[in-house]
Amino acid sequence: MNDNSALYAFNKFGDTVLRTAFAMTGSYTEAEDITQEVFLNLHARPQDFESDEHMKAWLLRSAINRCKNLRKSARMIKNSPLDESLENTLSCEFTPRDNEIREMIARLPEKYSSVIFLYYFEEYNVREIAKLIGKNENTVSSLLQRGRKKLKTELEKEGYIYET
């Protein structure tokens, strides 16, 4: 990798990393910070990737790990990211309903929110998610199933009608 690799990665996958971090944190400013950290880390410690998909997987795993660390930190516990104005939306522009559902996904335990986000928003299949997060495919399937069930319960509490 050369000096332009981090820039290439940012241009190609910056929005994806930002969307992932935003979906997992519920905070646009935290998502920006995490995205910046991911690409600065790549610039500081260049990696050799087999393909663009491998690069994307590495970037997403790095962002997910940072989101996990943020959730555990005192800073996240003290701050309520959901009261933040969503005027600074991402280039994908979530609809108001998408934002509500995304916030509910973000409130799920991380083990569920990350697989749900990767499956539905980033359109990875179970095998790819398993490889990305380092878990067995059956474990990922179980996490998706349990996460969907928890999300369904939360959606029903909020008055959403669950469509099968």
Side-chain angles (χ1 to χ4, degrees):
M1 256 182 120
N2 61 31
D3 290 340
N4 293 328
S5 297
L7 181 59
Y8 169 79
F10 180 76
N11 288 333
K12 186 144 179 115
F13 300 115
D15 282 348
T16 301
V17 172
L18 184 61
R19 279 195 317 268
T20 301
F22 182 61
M24 293 189 69
T25 63
S27 168
Y28 187 78
T29 55
E30 295 292 351
E32 286 180 317
D33 289 347
I34 288 169
T35 301
Q36 183 177 13
E37 289 171 14
V38 167
F39 288 101
L40 284 174
N41 185 42
L42 179 60
H43 179 71
R45 294 182 199 93
Q47 307 287 317
D48 288 324
F49 300 108
E50 298 167 10
S51 65
D52 280 358
E53 268 311 300
H54 181 222
M55 178 187 291
K56 180 181 177 185
W58 184 91
L59 292 166
L60 289 176
R61 180 74 254 162
S62 184
I64 289 167
N65 287 341
R66 281 176 169 70
C67 290
K68 282 182 185 179
N69 292 341
L70 178 66
R71 280 187 173 185
K72 294 176 192 174
S73 75
R75 182 175 79 184
M76 187 65 170
I77 293 167
K78 289 180 184 176
N79 294 334
S80 175
L82 300 179
D83 63 359
E84 178 179 323
S85 170
L86 294 176
E87 292 176 20
N88 296 327
T89 56
L90 307 173
S91 63
C92 69
E93 292 193 12
F94 291 112
T95 66
R97 183 169 189 249
D98 289 342
N99 278 328
E100 290 173 13
I101 293 171
R102 184 205 42 76
E103 287 173 5
M104 286 183 203
I105 292 169
R107 288 192 299 246
L108 292 173
E110 188 280 328
K111 63 184 179 182
Y112 302 127
S113 64
S114 62
V115 294
I116 288 173
F117 181 79
L118 291 170
Y119 187 83
Y120 288 104
F121 287 85
E122 293 302 322
E123 300 178 349
Y124 279 101
N125 63 39
V126 170
R127 176 177 287 138
E128 293 167 329
I129 295 169
K131 193 174 180 183
L132 184 64
I133 66 173
K135 295 197 182 291
N136 182 294
E137 288 180 39
N138 292 333
T139 302
V140 171
S141 293
S142 294
L143 291 171
L144 268 173
Q145 184 179 20
R146 290 179 192 138
R148 285 182 192 123
K149 189 175 180 178
K150 285 185 176 292
L151 183 59
K152 177 183 175 187
T153 302
E154 292 303 313
L155 288 170
E156 288 172 346
K157 284 180 189 176
E158 296 291 325
Y160 284 92
I161 298 171
Y162 184 72
E163 300 170 8
T164 55

